[in-house]
């Protein structure tokens, strides 16, 4: 059975079963942080497996997630 690391809920993508957004993990990864650093220093509530799962999901669905991240950024700028 395949494990699900990312889920869509509340109009956003989240690390499954947590309150950590996929956005935050992906942004940390895009800024050059290693999965180990993301898990230990940025989001200690996540396991290394969850971080790797989230990054794998991002890389496997890069076009969709990048589009989502652009929309979120635009929405944030519009409401600010």
């Amino acid at each position: 059975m395949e494990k699900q690391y990312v889920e869509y809920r509340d109009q956003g993508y989240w690390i499954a079963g947590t309150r950590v957004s996929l956005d935050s993990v992906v942004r940390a990864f895009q800024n050059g942080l290693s999965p180990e650093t993301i898990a230990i220093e940025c989001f200690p509530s996540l396991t290394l497996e969850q971080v790797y799962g989230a990054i794998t999901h991002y890389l496997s669905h890069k076009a969709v997630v990048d589009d989502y991240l652009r929309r979120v950024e635009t929405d944030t700028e519009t409401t600010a």
Side-chain angles (χ1 to χ4, degrees), residues 18-67:
T18 75
R19 294 177 11 175
V20 178
S21 70
L22 177 62
D23 313 21
S24 53
V25 173
V26 169
R27 294 287 184 215
F29 178 69
Q30 290 174 330
N31 287 328
L33 297 180
S34 70
E36 290 79 7
T37 300
I38 294 169
I40 294 167
E41 295 181 17
C42 301
F43 304 101
S45 63
L46 298 180
T47 65
L48 187 56
E49 178 184 359
Q50 287 172 306
V51 173
Y52 270 106
I55 293 168
T56 299
H57 177 87
Y58 167 63
L59 295 174
S60 298
H61 302 90
K62 193 169 182 332
V64 172
V65 176
D66 284 343
D67 183 54

Side-chain angles (χ1 to χ4, degrees), residues 4-24:
Q4 181 179 348
Y5 293 100
V6 176
E7 60 189 10
Y8 186 82
R9 68 174 193 271
D10 302 326
Q11 300 176 347
Y13 289 96
W14 304 90
I15 308 308
T18 75
R19 294 177 11 175
V20 178
S21 70
L22 177 62
D23 313 21
S24 53

